[in-house]
Structure formats: structure tokens, C-alpha cells
Amino acid sequence: MQLAPFRFFALLFSLAIAVPLQAQTRTNTDLNDGWRFSQGDFTNASQAAFDDSNWQTISIPHCWGWKEAQQGKTDYYRGPGWYRLKLNVTPEKGRRYFLRFEAASSVADIYLNGHFLGEHRGAFGAFCFEITSNLSEAGTDLLAVRVSNAAEPDIAPLSGDFPVYGGIYRPVHLIETADENFTLTDHASPGVEWLQTDVSKKRAVLDVMAEISNGTRRTHHLTLTAALLDADGKQVAFTNQEIALMSNITEPFWLRLTVPSPHLWNGRIDPYLYTAVVELRSTNAVVDSVEQQVGLRFYRVDPDKGFFLNGKPYSLHGVDLHQDWWNKGWAISHTNMEENVELMKEIGATVVRCAHYQHSDYLYSLCDRAGILVWAEIPQVNEITAGPAFEETSRNQLLDLIRQNINHPSIFVWSLFNELRPGHPDPHRELQDLVITAHGEDPTRPTIAATCTEGWPQMNRIPDLLGWNIYPGWYTEWGPKDSVGKMLDGYRYTSRSGGFCVSEYGAGANVNQHEENPKQPKDSGQWHPEEWQAIVHEKDWAELKSRPFVWATFVWNLTDFTVAGRHEGGVPGRNDKGLVTADRQVKKDAFYFYKANWSDEPVIYITSRRFTQRITPVTDVKVYSNATKVEIFINGRSQGWRKNDGNAVFVWTNIHLSPGTNHVEARGTRNGQLIQDECDWTLGPPA
């Protein structure tokens, strides 16, 4: 059976707004500096007269808990903290004002001049409140935010192998608009959705839905326009509609455009983006405008043959990613996100799973431009709470995720859970409701989930697609590394349609621990040699790539990350299954294994290069390369050629080392280009 094609048109939302005519449409001011912060709870901290002179002065992004969690402490602070900021806004007649928070963990209560604006529950979605009627005419205002990351029974994640830090850890914006605007308060969405009706190589039929808000007491007669521009700025499609916007209302309006012979967004091969502009116009001015970048494409999953993008087979191989950063927690910068995407590009990844929650809009935007497809998910991890409160919060988390990010071409699935397990409340009904919500919000993308069990009857068949998290060769319950092939075949028909992806696999590694011919270590033990991680990935990838019904693969994880309570691999507070260290300073051997298999860039890499102190005079030498054949040299003497085994692995056995320093060199050619690598090993007793 073949899945019906999922075809969609998607875009990149940006708060950078064009001003095509003489009118000022909207402005966006970052509110990231000058905040006062104190951890704990304080009576009357929402009031302007409250004395915060002894509080810290901080900048946003900001979060707490990471210092203790990095040390492995499970008692990192989970409770309230307060933020206060003086605003200087002189309200103008005919203008409206909004506060938009990109995220705060995990319950945020917002006050302006002591007035309660509202609450947002959930650590990962953006939220927005209008403040027009609450601004002081004097132009001086006090913004106060109470944020708490205390565990709440109605807010996922209830548990998980990652900390839940607290704080306003993504940017905050003050947005000013005209009285009539594309709404900002519908789950903090851009107010505009570009939906695909039919995308093919011949044409793209696009439906644009705009939620327009009138903040006045009178009806306005306006013109709604939508235009699509190619990469050179040439208009390729345009339409408009006269609308009557009733007083004090927010309502949807629809437009349709047709693009002949569209230039398709084609992943890493050609991530082509159009520019889409939706405007609200009066007789002689632009009242409001939203400009976005556009990627047009269609795709399908064939349960027997794999993933197809724009009608052609397209290999989905990549990594999972947490937003955690060493010595920062979740308060990461745009530069940090850019570095993550550059690592993904370097390794040759075509897809990323943004685990286990909604990530930053900026990260999704980077993936749009890089051509990296994105699995986006909500934080339902391990368990749910039975009852309507949890169901409502989870539904709102899903609405945040979809409405805020529906316009990203990189996102191709909405994920509903990770590793829900028997022994907790039955999730079947709640998941069915989430599927209905997702399909209603976005009929162009399938739902998916990541599972590790067949224990729940039918749970794995509720989402449209399915991912399996498997760890043969690492966790003993998954068996030895050689069991991976049999395991994959056994899961062949556990999804609704037949095929599945592997949403997690891998093993831990400490780059300072090394062993020749290692055996499977204890996952919770203190010895995680780098060599074992590489061996597991070599076996896993050989089995995964030979099975087309495994339509995508995701290595757990791109980088090491913090987990409070873990004490393993010689380092407290760390999950060390990353291909790169948590500080992004060291790329492990396994990183280069995948780079040699996935990247078009010439690769040659001598493994175990950090195993510099040797005590055994006879050893094996292993090289990862995408060359056809490789020659190695020890102290300038050739040890012969080896041919590519099809898995980018070259091995020389029984190589003799001399006492003292041994210079190891590898040479090969890729597309006629000489590539080489070298390192030094020392034979002798440990210092």
C-alpha cells in the first residue's frame, strides 16, 4: 500500500516587514536589554512602584537551572522568577501595540503597569498580547513577567531525558501596527497562511488565508493583495480583493494565486525561495504588510520505496537536535543556531528532528534556506496526565507549533509524542484528538510520532507515519549491535501504512576514552570509549541504508547535551551520544563516518586520532573516506592500498608501530583531487 501524496506549499515567517508605499506599516523593536531579574516569588512585583534596585540587570535570552544540571544535579531550581523592564512608548492615535515573546519556560504571567494581560502555559511556543489600551499616556510603562518552570500536571513534558530550564530564553519584541492589521494574537502566528492546493512541476495553485483585525469602531473598506516574487524580484503571480472589514472584529479572508512552471524547493539540491508579500491597502497607502520567503514543493512517503521529493527519490538521513548549549542552557543565540546548521550541512544531513519540542522560528528559517527538512514536534514525552486540563494544554501546544510555523518549507511532519509507554495513563483518545486537530489546521502535512514500544494496542497506528527509537549495541534491552537488521525487519508493519523511519539510534562516546578492539560497554558505566560508538554506527548505517522501507534515519544526537541525573562516561550531567561534543569543539570519529557517507565534499579521516598514547605495538588502522581507494603510510612507509567497502570504511590490520612517535598518514583521491589526513601516535608506557 502506498501513502497518498502529501503536497504542500510553505513559507518562512519573518518579522522584518517591507514598506512598499509611503505609509508606515508596522515596526518591530527588540526588547532584549535593560531587564531586571530575581529568582523567587515576590508580592507586588507586578506594580510599577515595586523596588527592584537590588535585582540583577540581565539581557534576554536568559534562563536558569543549567549550571546545576550540567553538574548532574537533579535538584536544579524549578520555581518562579520575576523579570521587570521599563518601557518608553508614547502611544499614537491610530496605532496599536503588541508584546511578542518567542518563548518562556514554562508558565508566563504578563503584567503592564500592574494590569494582568494574560498567561501562557507551555515552555516552547511564542505568545503575544495587545497592550494598546494599557499604555500610559505619559509614555512610561512597567512591564513585569512572572515565569515559573515548576512541574505542572497539565504541561508536557512531564518527564524526559533533558532538563526543563526556566526563564525568558528567547527574544521579546514590541510590535506597533495600524488600527487594521494581520492579527498577531492568534497563537502568535504571522496572521497569514500560504496553503497549497496543487503543487507540481507544471503549476502551483496557492490559497492564501489572512486573519485581519480591525481595532476601531467603524467599518473599513480596504484592498487585500497577495504577490509572489522570484529570487530576482520579478513578480510571477498577483491577485487582490476588495474587502469590508467590520468594526472590532478579526476575521479570515482568502485569496488564490497560480504560478506557472514553478521553481521548486528541492531540499539540499536546490532550496529555492520565492518572496511572498501580503498587503492590506487603503486608497493611497499600505496599512499593513507581511513579507515572507516561500518554498514550493510536493512529497510523498512510499512504504516500500522510501521518500520522494518533487516526484523523485530523495534520501532522508540526518540527526536529532536539542536546543541545549554547553554553559548556556536554552538561552542560545542566532549564532549558536547557525553553528548547529553548519554542522548539519557539513556532515551532509538532509533532515533534522527537532527534539522533543518546538524549536526557535529562526532555526526553522535557517533550515528553509539550507534545504534541510525538519521533523517538528510537541513535548509529549514518556507520559501524559489523564483529564481535560492536560488535553487542553497539549492541544494549545500543537496549535502554537502549527500556526506559528505552518509557513516553513522545511517542516514536513508534525509529531505528536516521543516514547509514550505502558504503565502511564492511556494516551489513545488524547492522541486521536490531536491528530484531528493537526489535520484540521494543516491538511497538507502528515502527523508522525516516535515510539520505542509495541506495548500499547494501536497507539503506533494513530499518527499517519511512525518513527522507531532503537539502540542495539548500547542499551542491553535492545540486544547486541548485530541484531539491528533483524530488528528493523521485525518492525516492518508496525505503522499505519507499512514503512517507518528510525527516529533515534546510536551510542555514547567520551572523546578522552579509547580502547583497541572494544567490547560493548555498560551504558550507565563510566567507560564510553569513542571507538565503540563508531563501531555501532558503522553497523547501524549498513543495515539502515539497505532497507528502502526505512524511509528516513536520524542519529541521536548531533551533539552531546545536558541531562541532570546522568553520571556516566566519566562526565556528570551529560548524554554523550552526540556526534559532536557539547561545546561544539570536537567532532567525534562517528561524525566523520557519516560525513564520508553523506557529504559530497571530499573526506578522508584517520580514526582513533585522539588515542595518542599506545601500548600495543601491533594495531589496526581505520580510515573513513569517500575516495575509491586509500593508501596509508606509517613513518613515511606505505602500508598498501585498500578499496572502499561501500560503507566508506578502510581497514589495515596488523600494522606495526615503532617505539616513540609514529606519524600516520592517509592519502586518496576524490573526483581527481588529492585528499590526505595525518596524525601522530606514541608507542610506549603511559606517562
Side-chain angles (χ1 to χ4, degrees), residues 252-270:
F253 294 88
W254 292 86
L255 296 172
R256 173 171 285 186
L257 299 86
T258 299
V259 183
S261 302
H263 190 152
L264 297 177
W265 188 94
N266 202 31
R268 292 292 304 273
I269 300 168
D270 182 16

Side-chain angles (χ1 to χ4, degrees), residues 78-95:
R78 297 198 66 175
W82 278 87
Y83 296 84
R84 287 164 55 90
L85 178 69
K86 292 180 180 179
L87 296 178
N88 296 308
V89 181
T90 303
E92 299 180 16
K93 186 177 180 180
R95 306 295 287 173

Side-chain angles (χ1 to χ4, degrees), residues 272-283:
Y272 186 87
L273 294 171
Y274 290 89
T275 299
V277 182
V278 182
E279 294 180 340
L280 195 60
R281 297 184 179 186
S282 63
T283 302

